[in-house]
Amino acid sequence: MLPNRAFTIHPSKDTIHSIVILEREFYMTFLSMTIYAIVSSFTPGPNNIMSLYYSKQTGLRGTIKFCIGVALGFFLLLLVSNFFSNTLYHVFPKVQLYMKIFGAIYLLYLAYKIGTSKGTDAQSFSSRYNNIKFGMLLQFINPKGVIYALSVVAAFITPNFEHFSVQIILITYLALIGFLSSFSWSVFGSIFKKFINEHELAFNIIMALLLVYTAISILFT
């Protein structure tokens, strides 16, 4: 009988080198995706502007449902983009103009409602749109958000990560960044709520003008 021996498999230097390169590529891709997501999510846009406006009306706690809606809507948008990235990239240019026009008109409508609201009108507007449903819907009618979802999936997720479980984790991570961006603007609004209420008209006009600027930038970009 042959004596029992413990066999230990030692990976080759080439294997170790390949693993180190893969780990480095993963961290670089993850870091680049995170920077892109933060810059895209935390800068002024419909989600953040509406979060800031709602926090002035209902306080920080009152905007949580809207922020959750933003995260859920963005999660679904990313999930759809991940499943149909190739198809959507071919279809989107054909409907992009119509989406831009519809999204811009809707943002102009929101700008009008915010710019002309005061007192009970503002409370009524907030109670109607400050919810999970509207937060989710807003992600699908904002062409800039759709473009961002398609680009972040096509550039960072689909080509670099084949396993669906990893893709879901990254999509959830991006949705969390979307929630934090909206919530941070809500925090800002709640901190300066007293000052904002003292200058309500000026604040509403500024918020309306930011939405108008966003609508115009959607049409001409």
Side-chain angles (χ1 to χ4, degrees):
M1 295 181 61
L2 295 174
N4 294 327
R5 295 180 180 177
F7 292 94
T8 303
I9 300 175
H10 297 282
S12 65
K13 291 183 179 180
D14 291 338
T15 302
I16 296 174
H17 182 65
S18 299
I19 293 173
V20 171
I21 291 176
L22 288 174
E23 288 182 349
R24 186 181 302 168
E25 289 179 351
F26 169 80
Y27 288 120
M28 290 300 296
T29 301
F30 184 78
L31 178 62
S32 299
M33 184 187 71
T34 300
I35 293 173
Y36 179 64
I38 290 175
V39 171
S40 300
S41 300
F42 280 80
T43 50
N47 295 332
N48 298 333
I49 294 171
M50 297 306 297
S51 296
L52 179 61
Y53 177 78
Y54 291 146
S55 66
K56 190 265 292 188
Q57 299 294 332
T58 61
L60 180 61
R61 183 177 297 180
T63 62
I64 291 179
K65 289 184 178 180
F66 174 78
C67 294
I68 291 174
V70 168
L72 291 176
F74 194 55
F75 176 84
L76 292 175
L77 183 60
L78 287 167
L79 196 61
V80 171
S81 300
N82 188 63
F83 275 123
F84 306 105
S85 57
N86 292 328
T87 303
L88 288 175
Y89 253 107
H90 287 90
V91 173
F92 187 74
K94 300 177 182 178
V95 300
Q96 184 177 12
L97 178 61
Y98 302 101
M99 285 192 64
K100 284 186 174 184
I101 293 173
F102 177 77
I105 291 174
Y106 193 75
L107 290 178
L108 290 174
Y109 165 75
L110 292 177
Y112 168 77
K113 297 295 290 184
I114 290 176
T116 58
S117 65
K118 59 165 61 176
T120 56
D121 291 338
Q123 292 293 337
S124 177
F125 176 81
S126 294
S127 63
R128 182 178 179 183
Y129 293 105
N130 184 16
N131 51 56
I132 293 178
K133 182 180 178 181
F134 179 70
M136 293 178 65
L137 176 64
L138 191 59
Q139 309 317 302
F140 290 89
I141 63 176
N142 179 14
K144 292 180 69 176
V146 175
I147 293 172
Y148 163 61
L150 287 172
S151 62
V152 75
V153 166
F156 298 106
I157 296 179
T158 306
N160 297 302
F161 306 99
E162 296 181 358
H163 295 288
F164 182 68
S165 58
V166 177
Q167 293 175 350
I168 287 294
I169 292 172
L170 294 175
I171 287 173
T172 304
Y173 172 71
L174 292 173
L176 178 62
I177 291 177
F179 171 82
L180 292 175
S181 66
S182 297
F183 188 72
S184 65
W185 281 64
S186 297
V187 171
F188 179 82
S190 64
I191 291 175
F192 295 97
K193 182 178 180 180
K194 182 178 179 180
F195 174 80
I196 292 173
N197 284 332
E198 292 175 354
H199 304 84
E200 181 177 11
L201 178 60
F203 173 79
N204 288 350
I205 291 175
I206 292 173
M207 294 298 99
L209 290 176
L210 285 173
L211 285 176
V212 170
Y213 170 78
T214 303
I216 293 173
S217 66
I218 285 174
L219 287 174
F220 294 99
T221 55

